[in-house]
Every structure is written in C-alpha cells, then in structure tokens.
C-alpha cells in the first residue's frame, strides 16, 4: 500500500511538472524574480518588494538621505543617540514641523527611507523614554504620537500598501544598512553600518547586523533553490543531489553567522545581554492592538526555507504569527513564496524512491530544522539572552510571548520556539541521559545559595548534582551573565530546556565541573521537612534577587548609547536604574516577603509557643498594599546611585545569608521539633530577615 501511494504521488508530481513545462521552461521562482526585477526597474524604486538575483531579498539601491524638503527627519535620526541619552526625544519630536508626505512632496523613491525613519522614531518615542508599559494598550497611534509624527507616518505606510502605520522588519532590518562590500552576498556584520541606529551601541549593531548578514547569506541559497526547481522540472536527480549538497553547506554557513551573537566576554565582539535588554530588545514591541511587531519571525530567510523544506503546518502560536506576517509582506515576496509551491522539491524527493536523494534531503533539512541544526542552535542562543532579559525586567517579547507565565517566562518562549521547530516535521529523539556515578562530596542548600559571587565562586545544581562554573565563566558560549544570574540556585529546568541534559558532549563537559551531590537532611517529622523546603524556596529566590541586583552595577557603568562616558549618570541610565529600584520594591521584595510568610507559618507549626509576633507585624506591613509603583527616590548623580546600589546589595546579601543560617540549623544532624533553643534562634533570624525586607521595601 505504501509503494502504491508513493507511486500515485510520483505520477501526480510528474503530471504536474509536464503541465508546468508546457507553461514555461524556467523555474517558477526564477520567473517571479525576473518579473520583479522588470517591475522595479520600470517603477524606478523597489517599494513592491526587494527581490533580485543580485541582491535576493535585500535592496539593490539604498537611499541615504531624504530630499532637502525633509531634511528635518534626517537630522532627527542623526540626533537619536543624544536625544535618547538625555531623554528629550519626546519633546524634540513633538516640536517637529508637520512635513508633507504626499507624492508631490515626497517622491516614491524616498518612501522606504521615510518609513524606516518615522517607524524607528515612533518606537523610540514610546519605548525609549519614560516607563511606558510594554503591553498592547492603544487603539491607534494617534492616541500617543504627536501629529508631526503620526500623520506623515500614516501617509507613508499607506503609500507602501500597508493597512496602518507599523515598523516592519523591512524598515528596521532589511533596508536599514549600508555596506562597504563589493557584492550584496558579501555583506557581513563587520562591513556594514546601520543607516538609522537608535543608540549606536555594539549591542544594537551586532543584533541587527547579524540579521542583515543572514539576509545576505540567503542570496546563494535562493540561487540554489532556483536550480533545484530547474532540475525537478527536467527530472535530473543527479544534478539535484549536487544542489542539495550545496544547500546543506550554505545552511551550515548561515548557522555560523548566529555564532556572532555571543555574550561571552572571551569573544572579541561580545554583546552584553543586560545592555541589549535595555536598548534593543524592547524597541520593536508594538503598542497598538492588533499590530504585528518587527520580530525575527518576519525574516524572509525563514519563510523561504519553510516553503522549500515542505512545511505544511502553522498551528503553533509562532506558526500562526508567521502566517499573519507573511500576509503583510511586499507583493514580490508573497509571489516568490507562492512560486516555491508550484514546483515542490520536497514532494519530488518524497516520491522519487531514490534512497540516496532522500538521505541527502534529510541531512539538508536537519541542518535547518534539526535539534542540532540552525533552528535548534537559534533556540539555544535565544534562551540565554531571554533568561537574562526577563530577570531584569522585560515583560514580553516583540511577538507577545512570555506574559503568560508569572515565573520564569523565558521558558514559555523557549517552549514555543521548540514547538515551532517540531512543527516543521522535525522529530529528533532526545538522547538518553545515563546515570552518572555520584560524587562522595555532599553539598547542602545552605552552601549552594552562598556561592553566587566573584568572591565565593559560582555554583549551581541540576538533577541532584552541584557544579562549580567559576572557571568556565569566560568560556561559556552563552556568556557569563546568564551563569551569574543562575548561580546559587537549582537550574534543572533551564538546562533541560536548552538541551544541555540530553546532549552527550555538553553533559560530559558539565561533569568536569561537578563538585558533589545536593544533600537533603533527614527529618523527624513532615512538618520539619515542610519548613525546610520553605526555607529552600526563600533561599534560592534571595540568591536570584541578589544576582539580579548586581546587574545594576553593570548598567551603571555600561553604554546605553554610543555617547555614554564612565561614571556619568545620564538621564536614560537614571530612568532605567529608577525602574530597577521600583521593581525591587514593588516586585522582588514582596515576592521574598510572601515566601518568608510561608516559612513563618511553617516554623509556627513546629512550636506554637514561639514568640513570632514582632515578625508577624512586619510581615503584615510588607504584604499590605503599598503606594503603588514608582515610589523610589529619583537619582540625581552617579555617587547617589552607587551608594544606593551598594546599600541595597548589602541588605539582599544579608537576607540570603540569614536564610542560609536557618537552612544550616535544619541541616545539622539530629534536628527535632523539641529543641527549643534552636527554634528560638530561627525565630530571631526570621525577625532580622523581615527587618531587612522592610528597609528594602522603603516602608
């Protein structure tokens, strides 16, 4: 039956190819590209979509300036780093003159540059100043943007065939560069410059530049796809095999481009995930209901590869978003993707019964959507950056992921990426994780949570083992920041999410840093065990909050714009540090207080006679509604910030160490509920923790 079905499919494909051959001797993709080239030459611009054999999905011609009548817009974007640093972008944009964006005033050839300028400026206006919520909030852009920006942006987008103003992937990435390369396919991160940078930092240049370089790497892939269609039309399986081999090599080269997104300080061009979060990460998030953001889902490379490899399901959230994004693509891009389906190489391979051809195809497609392929590698890269960014205050991704989970939202994003990868017909089996011989060295949680700094070393636990990552920090491909944020905690879920526990080579590497097993004390009663586990939760959360707070020093001395100087508090830094202080008071301290309250109740159950009244009174104050967000004192200068950060860090460290003392009391041998002196000592420690939290909360 299977052979009969394959025979029917092959007959159907063959008949369809005969029909196509009578219509045209050239592959459909090639025909669409040539039509697009003719149309764009005739129009004198590429507003219907960048598409050519020479440049692929990249523009053949990039306008570096608007006409003199619109020089105010060019000057505005040239000043963006300064305006963002001084937090005066909104005031400056509001005072802009209202320029005419009609065809009579602004010729078609300038539309794409105008769309990039106005779109980037609009997002800077909303995202880079003040503390505007990152959720979809408004019904229209006019609800927040001044007329000098909203009106011309609307006109420009309508002239480009868009239903409403939006910063598209074309605006922010595809058309937002210039390069010294002599060829379009030779554009790289190293030889390009952004036409409209917002902050001008290496984080912005690297993140956007990598996506631009991937677009350049798409050009030879596009050529090979045309050849693949040609060989299917001529039923030349031998030449098709060579083409598939070439495609496999090209996908490998494209995957290596992602390696340039490196957070490791040992890498010469590393980018700081903390600074990336506060400058680039949130810029593209839309704020109008129903609008699609300029997320990586819109990259034409992924859509081209999905069609070519035969993806037929788009049921996941990311898959559905991809379909929505595709509907907003320029007409030439949509026609090209449709042409890929007219001659399906994946169907031809499936029906061929040629084992060598099918094996080559499987190897090629795995290099794209396999667990160890481009999409798997991309997922692991993304995880590290998102694990950092969500911990320091990011609430959602550009496409709205991460807001459903109250804790560890980066896992939600990771799971969605994995679902989208598997939806592409990739069913890689997880490798079995063999049992390892446990180390004789026993480590208690009280020790684990205290190893989360440069002075003590960076430890973490996973699946009952404890690891010391101190000497691996600078070598970690995902950067040292994610390790510092995870130190002092159990990160089994995170390691499992990125495949580190199912990858044999990574597992073996982990074993070289293993220092022992995580020990759990024996308890005389279930109440004692419950109290201990409550202390474990509090201790690990305290370590996490301490780790997050240390990143504020990184922010204070880092570059949020290209103009920033050491030991100078800019308005933008002051804004982000104030946000961090408010987040500490309004989110982190209440979270610690809730865990402390659980521990308090558990301790009370061990001895109802314990005097916990003072601690209870403090807890009532901590858990009662406060004055709302934004209660922290504004920072006036560098010294004031530094002093505040140091004091807060000192108290957070003290909280963690006090919890470690409580854990140690349980971990000492022979703990029983009848030991009054030990319980009274724990009660006193709880009171000290509550006192520190009260000060940290600003109450």
């Amino acid at each position: 039956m299977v052979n009969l079905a394959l025979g029917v499919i092959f007959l159907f494909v063959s008949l369809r190819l005969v029909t196509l051959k009578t219509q045209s001797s050239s592959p459909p993709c090639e025909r669409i590209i040539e039509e697009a080239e003719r149309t764009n030459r005739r129009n004198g611009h590429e507003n219907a979509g960048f598409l050519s054999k020479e440049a692929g999905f990249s523009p053949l011609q990039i306008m570096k300036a608007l006409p003199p009548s619109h020089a105010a817009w060019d000057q505005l974007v040239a000043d963006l780093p300064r305006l963002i640093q001084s937090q005066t972008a909104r005031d400056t944009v509001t005072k802009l003159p209202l320029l005419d964006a009609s065809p009579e005033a602004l010729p078609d050839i300038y539309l794409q540059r105008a769309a990039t300028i106005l779109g980037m400026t609009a997002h800077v206006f909303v995202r880079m100043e003040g503390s505007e919520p990152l959720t979809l909030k408004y019904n229209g852009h006019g609800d927040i943007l001044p007329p000098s920006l909203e009106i011309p942006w609307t006109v420009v987008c309508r002239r480009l065939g868009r239903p409403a103003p939006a910063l598209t992937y074309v605006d922010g990435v595809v058309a937002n560069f210039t390069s010294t390369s002599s060829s379009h396919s030779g554009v790289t991160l190293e030889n390009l410059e952004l036409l409209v940078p917002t902050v001008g930092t290496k984080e912005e240049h690297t993140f956007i530049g990598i996506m631009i370089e991937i677009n350049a790497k798409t050009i030879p892939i596009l050529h090979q796809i045309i050849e693949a269609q040609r060989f299917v039309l001529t039923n030349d399986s031998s030449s098709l095999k060579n083409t598939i081999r070439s495609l496999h090599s090209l996908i490998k080269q494209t995957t290596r481009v992602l390696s340039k997104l490196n957070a490791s300080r040992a890498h010469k061009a590393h980018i700081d995930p903390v600074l990336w979060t506060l400058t680039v990460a949130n810029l593209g998030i839309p704020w109008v209901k129903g609008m699609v953001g300029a997320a990586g889902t819109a990259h034409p490379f992924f859509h081209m590869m999905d069609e070519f490899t035969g993806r037929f399901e788009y049921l996941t959230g990311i898959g559905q978003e991809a379909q929505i994004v595709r509907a907003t693509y320029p007409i030439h891009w949509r026609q090209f993707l449709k042409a890929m389906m007219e001659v399906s190489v994946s169907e031809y391979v499936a029906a061929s019964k040629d084992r060598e051809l099918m094996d080559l195809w499987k190897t090629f497609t795995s290099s794209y959507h396999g667990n160890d392929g481009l999409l798997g590698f991309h997922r692991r890269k993304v995880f590290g950056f998102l694990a950092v960014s969500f911990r320091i205050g990011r609430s959602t991704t550009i496409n709205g992921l991460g807001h459903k989970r109250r804790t560890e939202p980066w896992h939600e994003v990771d799971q969605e990426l994995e679902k989208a990868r598997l939806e592409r017909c990739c069913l890689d089996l997880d490798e079995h994780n063999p049992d390892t011989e446990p180390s004789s060295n026993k480590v208690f949680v009280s020790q684990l949570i205290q190893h989360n700094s440069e002075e003590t070393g960076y430890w973490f636990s996973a699946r009952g083992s404890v690891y010391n990552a101190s000497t691996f920090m600078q070598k970690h491909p995902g950067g040292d920041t994610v390790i510092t944020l995870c130190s002092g905690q159990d990160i089994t879920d995170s390691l499992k999410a990125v495949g580190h526990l199912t990858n044999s080579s990574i597992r073996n590497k982990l074993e070289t840093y293993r220092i022992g097993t995580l020990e759990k004390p024996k308890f005389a009663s279930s109440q004692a065990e419950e109290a201990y586990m409550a202390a474990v939760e509090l201790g690990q959360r305290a370590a996490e909050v301490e780790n997050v707070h240390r990143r504020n020093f990184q922010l204070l001395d880092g570059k949020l714009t290209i103009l920033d100087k050491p030991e100078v508090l800019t308005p933008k830094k002051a804004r982000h540090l104030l946000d961090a202080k408010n987040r500490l008071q309004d989110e982190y301290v209440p979270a610690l207080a809730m865990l402390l309250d659980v521990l308090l109740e558990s301790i009370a159950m061990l001895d109802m006679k314990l005097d916990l009244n003072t601690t209870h009174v403090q807890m009532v104050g901590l858990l009662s509604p406060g004055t709302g967000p934004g209660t922290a004192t504004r920072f006036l200068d560098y010294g004031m910030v530094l002093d505040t950060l140091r004091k807060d860090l000192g108290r957070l460290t003290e909280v963690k160490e006090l919890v470690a003392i409580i854990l140690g009391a349980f971990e000492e041998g022979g703990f029983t509920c009848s030991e009054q002196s030990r319980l009274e000592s724990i009660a006193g420690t709880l009171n000290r923790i509550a006192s520190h939290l009260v000060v940290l909360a600003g109450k």
Side-chain angles (χ1 to χ4, degrees), residues 286-389:
W287 59 87
V288 172
K289 298 172 183 176
M291 295 305 298
V292 178
T297 316
H299 201 302
F301 167 80
F302 296 114
H303 289 258
M304 179 184 72
M305 288 302 301
D306 284 349
E307 287 302 329
F308 185 66
T309 56
R311 181 180 184 179
F312 59 89
E313 284 192 354
Y314 291 84
L315 302 178
T316 60
I318 292 178
Q320 292 174 12
E321 183 198 352
Q323 293 290 71
I324 294 172
V325 167
R326 187 178 297 189
T328 68
Y329 266 2
I331 183 63
H332 289 335
W333 287 11
R334 298 200 305 272
Q335 290 173 340
F336 177 82
L337 293 172
K338 185 178 180 181
M340 295 185 72
M341 295 183 283
E342 291 183 28
V343 174
S344 173
V345 178
S346 62
E347 287 182 10
Y348 178 87
V349 172
S352 69
K353 300 182 183 179
D354 185 328
R355 176 50 56 189
E356 182 185 10
L357 179 60
M358 294 170 71
D359 287 345
L360 283 170
W361 182 258
K362 182 178 180 181
T363 300
F364 155 64
T365 55
S366 293
S367 69
Y368 170 57
H369 55 45
N371 189 45
D372 294 322
L374 185 145
L375 291 180
F377 184 72
H378 168 265
R379 174 190 164 217
R380 290 187 288 275
K381 275 287 182 184
V382 166
F383 186 90
F385 279 84
L386 293 181
V388 172
S389 65

Side-chain angles (χ1 to χ4, degrees), residues 652-690:
L652 287 170
T653 302
E654 182 71 11
V655 166
K656 180 200 66 181
E657 291 177 349
L658 289 171
V659 179
I661 291 173
I662 294 175
L663 287 166
F666 282 100
E667 291 161 355
E668 291 178 14
F671 177 83
T672 64
C673 300
S674 60
E675 294 186 59
Q676 188 69 23
S677 60
R678 197 182 299 191
L679 286 172
E680 288 177 353
S681 176
I682 290 175
T685 305
L686 288 171
N687 188 53
R688 292 171 63 190
I689 293 173

